[in-house]
Amino acid sequence: AGDAATPEPVAGGLTFTSLTSGADQVCGIVSDGSAYCWGRGQEGQLGNGSLAGQDQPQPVSGGLRFSSLNAGTGITCGVTTRGVAYCWGDGYRGQLGNGKAELTATPVRVVDPG
């Protein structure tokens, strides 16, 4: 692990259909819709239930199937194949969309304010 001057394959042998990168994490979706994340995890942005960093893809908890993901600074959000939004990571300023100001290391459903 370290810096690379040329592209290298992501460890784990997974085949990704899409990737998104945040400030300190990368997340991707594989062909069955499962999500995987790796990188810095101290804010829970990897979604695997841990606050530890990972240098290889780790499955996002909950068994959800995603059609899209978007990674930011300390947070990751995704839309499932059923059109439901989930977020995980640093939500201390309410950015998880669940009506709470807290950190979570697993996906939480975004609440409909209506």
Side-chain angles (χ1 to χ4, degrees):
D3 294 338
T6 59
E8 294 185 19
V10 173
L14 297 166
T15 300
F16 291 93
T17 59
S18 67
L19 292 172
T20 181
S21 61
D24 295 309
Q25 82 275 24
V26 176
C27 296
I29 301 171
V30 297
S31 60
D32 73 354
S34 299
Y36 289 79
C37 295
W38 61 98
R40 186 172 185 264
Q42 283 75 358
E43 287 84 31
Q45 67 267 43
L46 303 183
N48 64 351
S50 172
L51 300 181
Q54 299 291 331
D55 63 359
Q56 294 187 24
Q58 303 296 309
V60 172
S61 297
L64 299 165
R65 303 292 185 236
F66 291 91
S67 59
S68 66
L69 294 173
N70 192 353
T73 302
I75 188 170
T76 306
C77 294
V79 176
T80 67
T81 55
R82 295 178 181 250
V84 180
Y86 286 83
C87 293
W88 53 95
D90 178 4
Y92 285 122
R93 290 174 298 286
Q95 60 271 54
L96 295 177
N98 65 344
K100 300 176 183 176
E102 64 185 5
L103 179 148
T104 180
T106 58
V108 294
R109 188 174 178 156
V110 173
V111 176
D112 181 355

